[in-house]
Amino acid sequence: MDYNLLIGGSAGQGIETLGFLLEKSLQRNNYYLFSNKDYMSRIRGGHNFTKIRFGTKEIYSHKDALDFIVAFDETTVKEHRFRLKENGLIFLDESLRENTPDVSANMVFLPMKESASNLGNARVLNTLFFGSLAKAFDLDLGIAKELLTEVFKKDILELNQRALEAGFKLEVPAVPVEKPRDIGKRILINSNQGIALGALAAGLTFYSAYPMTPSTSIMNFLAENQKRAGILVEQAEDEIAAINMALGASFAGVRAMTGTSGGGFSLMTESLGLAGMTETPLVVVNVQRPGPATGFPTRTEQSDLSFILTASHGEIPRMVTVIRNAEEAFYKTARAFNLAEKYQMLVILLNDQYLADANQTIEPYDFGKVSIDRYIESGLDADVYNRYELSGGHISPRILPGFIPGKTVLADSDEHNEHGNITESAEIRVSMMDKRMGKLRMLESELEEPECLGDESPEILLLGWGSTFGTLKEAVEILKREDLSIGALSFGDLWPLPIKKLEQMAEGAKQIINVEQNYTGQLAKLIRQETGIKCTNSILKYDGRQISLEEIVSGVKEVL
């Protein structure tokens, strides 16, 4: 069983609440699910929708074709009915019948507004739909009632309980469902929440940011839990202040992180160089959205990679790594903190709006797999402490200011000598540049090769990164069933670029196709720069909407 349901309406109509209730209910009824959101950057109005794909097998991505539509307004019917399968159903209010063209047998008109009026509150429309859908999909009513107690309080709870019962009593067609087996404990989570939890597991103590969609939910999650976690979350006046606060906190010895999106990352670039020059560990999260300028604030793209690889004046070492799903978000964030401190360098963690707002059922995070490795010296024999000592190779001993009596920590954004004093010596400049940039060679041993999906010696090789992981995985499985020799490499670590698997698989491939969410094929350019390997074709999407399973499958067939 693999169903795809869309809930659509205007901002403020309650589709967010219905989506939450339905997703949680499906999860607790032991279904796997993957949901994603499409919303406009306005408080009220506009056309928004949530897609929930659920079934009895693990699900990694969204699909275009729909089995069900829940329409809060006429626009939803008009915009999405062409994607409804032949035997699909549209659930909508009776009041929409008059203005709905081509009323068909697959439309299930329900007296939602009338029922809400009888209950004395028009705002319970979403809970009425929830009750009807719970009945149609044979979901446990007890679980549905339990969920209401988690969302609503006091009088509002009692009202919604009555709405749930009223919706459940309405006449709806019974949808054929496969009863799921017990899949054990699963959590329903998105990647921004995973990043926040991974940071907490890694010992995050300070997070500073300026609100910017779609990164803001990281700050919101941490702020909501800061007392329980014993951390400080600071909403800065802008992104320049946010990154400098995080830098200062890290210099002082606490684990710190900052996060932003789009133009916010652009504002941070001067301080990226400061982190590089002072060799201060720092984790920066950039949740990508389409640019340039304000672009599409609430939509998705993978177009910041080329910029991030060189962002900052001058040359600094950095690591760039990208989230591929909610599960990885937790572990990769924790790893970023350890690597940043081990190499005393900048680690940029990439995500994008699609994954930031996509909920997925995954196994609970294993905090036992996370270690907190600080790489901070607690004692030194030398009389004078040299923060940028050269004799130790590329990594100098790091102590925290004020923690060892008699040892002074000097740091400077100018070029400096081993002690941290300003210098204009050409000889020292070369030594310090070699010291800093040499960290990249050391980092190569820590890199994770891209994940191989499908054939390991394919004739058709797909290349992708980040949020296309799920769609690539399912697309390869579909195309393999059509007897194609096909495999894919999904990159997580991007800089330094791991190339071992790439060179192995590219050697025998007749076609190499990059699948990316940007106009210029930024991963393909990076690969060509680092290896000389050229992609034969590209499947690129840059309209602000995530590439779907169907689009990858059809895109591959078009180039064959």
Side-chain angles (χ1 to χ4, degrees):
M1 189 187 104
D2 185 350
Y3 282 145
N4 197 21
L5 179 147
L6 181 145
I7 303 168
S10 299
Q13 280 194 304
I15 60 175
E16 182 83 10
T17 303
L18 175 57
F20 174 82
L21 290 169
L22 191 56
E23 287 175 31
K24 279 288 186 183
S25 180
L26 289 165
Q27 176 216 358
R28 295 184 189 182
N29 278 272
N30 281 312
Y31 287 107
Y32 294 98
L33 75 89
F34 185 100
S35 74
N36 65 297
K37 295 175 183 173
D38 188 301
Y39 56 100
M40 306 187 83
S41 54
R42 60 181 71 171
I43 303 300
R44 297 189 70 85
H47 177 59
N48 298 349
F49 60 89
T50 295
K51 283 197 291 187
I52 305 171
R53 187 179 164 201
F54 63 98
T56 49
K57 294 180 180 177
E58 290 214 49
I59 297 171
Y60 303 96
S61 66
H62 73 291
K63 286 171 70 174
D64 283 336
L66 298 169
D67 297 283
F68 310 103
I69 295 172
V70 180
F72 277 68
D73 59 13
E74 296 161 20
T75 304
T76 302
V77 179
K78 182 181 175 183
E79 292 283 325
H80 302 287
R81 68 183 298 182
F82 73 96
R83 290 196 282 126
L84 191 70
K85 294 179 181 175
E86 189 176 350
N87 57 350
L89 295 174
I90 303 175
F91 297 89
L92 67 173
D93 183 64
E94 188 68 51
S95 64
L96 299 178
R97 184 190 293 271
E98 187 177 341
N99 295 324
T100 301
D102 304 323
V103 171
S104 63
N106 63 3
M107 291 184 174
V108 182
F109 289 97
L110 299 167
M112 291 301 183
K113 287 189 177 177
E114 180 185 342
S115 300
S117 176
N118 292 338
L119 290 165
N121 192 323
R123 299 184 67 182
V124 297
L125 212 63
N126 45 16
T127 308
L128 283 161
F129 268 123
F130 181 43
S132 296
L133 294 171
K135 183 178 182 181
F137 295 116
D138 195 25
L139 301 176
D140 189 305
L141 186 61
I143 290 175
K145 290 179 177 176
E146 180 183 286
L147 281 166
L148 293 183
T149 65
E150 298 172 19
V151 175
F152 303 107
K153 305 296 180 190
K154 299 180 179 178
D155 294 347
I156 301 299
L157 171 62
E158 191 273 333
L159 174 65
N160 279 278
Q161 285 172 330
R162 287 193 285 128
L164 177 71
E165 296 275 4
F168 199 81
K169 289 176 182 174
L170 294 176
E171 289 293 327
V172 291
V175 173
V177 291
E178 180 184 336
K179 278 298 172 188
R181 61 184 173 82
D182 185 353
I183 60 173
K185 189 174 182 181
R186 295 266 164 169
I187 59 174
L188 181 65
I189 198 164
N190 63 53
S191 63
N192 270 8
Q193 293 168 331
I195 288 171
L197 283 170
L200 292 176
L204 177 82
T205 308
F206 179 75
Y207 183 81
S208 53
Y210 181 77
M212 194 159 190
T213 305
S215 67
T216 308
S217 56
I218 298 173
M219 181 166 66
N220 290 344
F221 185 93
L222 291 171
E224 287 168 6
N225 292 284
Q226 66 176 330
K227 286 185 179 176
R228 193 161 52 140
I231 67 169
L232 178 63
V233 177
E234 173 71 15
Q235 179 176 319
E237 62 267 36
D238 56 36
E239 287 83 357
I240 299 171
I243 188 171
N244 285 324
M245 287 179 181
L247 258 179
S250 180
F251 178 77
V254 302
R255 283 206 153 172
M257 183 168 81
T258 184
T260 188
S261 302
F265 187 84
S266 297
L267 287 174
M268 290 182 173
T269 53
E270 182 176 4
S271 294
L272 299 180
L274 181 60
M277 179 60 103
T278 59
E279 301 186 49
T280 306
L282 186 65
V283 178
V284 178
V285 183
N286 178 20
V287 187
Q288 298 169 95
R289 69 189 208 186
T294 311
F296 273 163
T298 58
R299 303 197 182 278
T300 199
E301 204 162 82
Q302 294 180 311
S303 54
D304 291 349
L305 176 60
S306 294
F307 173 56
I308 279 172
L309 291 173
T310 57
S312 167
H313 54 286
E315 296 169 305
I316 58 167
R318 77 196 72 197
M319 180 179 186
V320 180
T321 187
V322 63
I323 303 297
R324 289 179 291 203
N325 52 47
E327 183 174 14
E328 190 176 71
F330 175 81
Y331 300 105
K332 186 159 278 186
T333 304
R335 171 178 174 248
F337 278 94
N338 287 339
L339 290 176
E341 289 211 301
K342 182 176 182 179
Y343 295 99
Q344 299 173 22
M345 66 187 292
L346 173 69
V347 177
I348 300 173
L349 198 58
L350 281 176
N351 196 18
D352 59 37
Q353 181 273 329
Y354 173 69
L355 284 185
D357 291 321
N359 289 325
Q360 187 176 4
T361 47
I362 61 172
E363 291 187 5
Y365 297 132
D366 184 352
F367 283 69
K369 291 182 179 177
V370 174
S371 63
I372 301 175
D373 307 320
R374 297 301 312 268
Y375 306 100
I376 295 171
E377 301 286 338
S378 56
L380 292 170
D381 294 332
D383 291 334
V384 177
Y385 169 65
N386 290 317
R387 172 66 187 93
Y388 304 109
E389 189 174 293
L390 290 167
S391 60
H394 301 288
I395 312 294
S396 304
R398 179 178 176 227
I399 67 172
L400 301 184
F403 272 68
I404 302 179
K407 298 292 189 292
T408 302
V409 181
L410 287 183
D412 204 294
S413 64
D414 283 54
E415 191 57 273
H416 42 253
N417 62 17
E418 288 184 282
H419 191 55
N421 295 121
I422 295 173
T423 183
E424 296 198 23
S425 161
E427 182 181 351
I428 293 175
R429 164 68 176 178
V430 171
S431 298
M432 285 296 168
M433 282 296 293
D434 290 345
K435 171 188 188 297
R436 291 191 292 265
M437 298 305 290
K439 295 176 182 181
L440 290 176
R441 289 195 300 278
M442 298 178 70
L443 186 61
E444 287 174 359
S445 63
E446 308 267 8
L447 297 178
E448 294 177 352
E449 290 290 326
E451 185 162 340
C452 180
L453 309 168
D455 293 344
E456 294 199 9
S457 300
E459 293 183 359
I460 306 163
L461 175 61
L462 307 181
L463 302 176
W465 56 287
S467 62
T468 57
F469 170 81
T471 44
L472 280 173
K473 181 178 177 65
E474 294 197 39
V476 167
E477 288 170 0
I478 290 172
L479 291 166
K480 274 182 64 63
R481 289 199 289 271
E482 298 182 16
D483 293 329
L484 290 176
S485 171
I486 188 166
L489 285 176
S490 175
F491 283 79
D493 287 349
L494 290 165
W495 188 260
L497 185 70
I499 60 174
K500 187 177 175 182
K501 269 191 181 179
L502 171 66
E503 291 182 334
Q504 286 173 354
M505 292 180 68
E507 188 175 3
K510 294 178 181 175
Q511 297 198 62
I512 303 175
I513 306 169
N514 59 310
V515 181
E516 301 184 58
Q517 295 267 155
N518 57 61
Y519 181 85
T520 54
Q522 298 183 12
L523 175 65
K525 286 200 296 185
L526 177 63
I527 287 173
R528 187 164 66 247
Q529 170 190 305
E530 294 301 303
T531 67
I533 295 170
K534 295 180 181 177
C535 292
T536 56
N537 301 91
S538 296
I539 300 174
L540 304 176
K541 186 170 182 178
Y542 40 86
D543 62 359
R545 281 73 176 173
Q546 185 74 6
I547 194 166
S548 69
L549 173 61
E550 293 96 330
E551 287 172 321
I552 294 180
V553 170
S554 63
V556 170
K557 289 180 178 178
E558 282 178 16
V559 300
L560 293 182

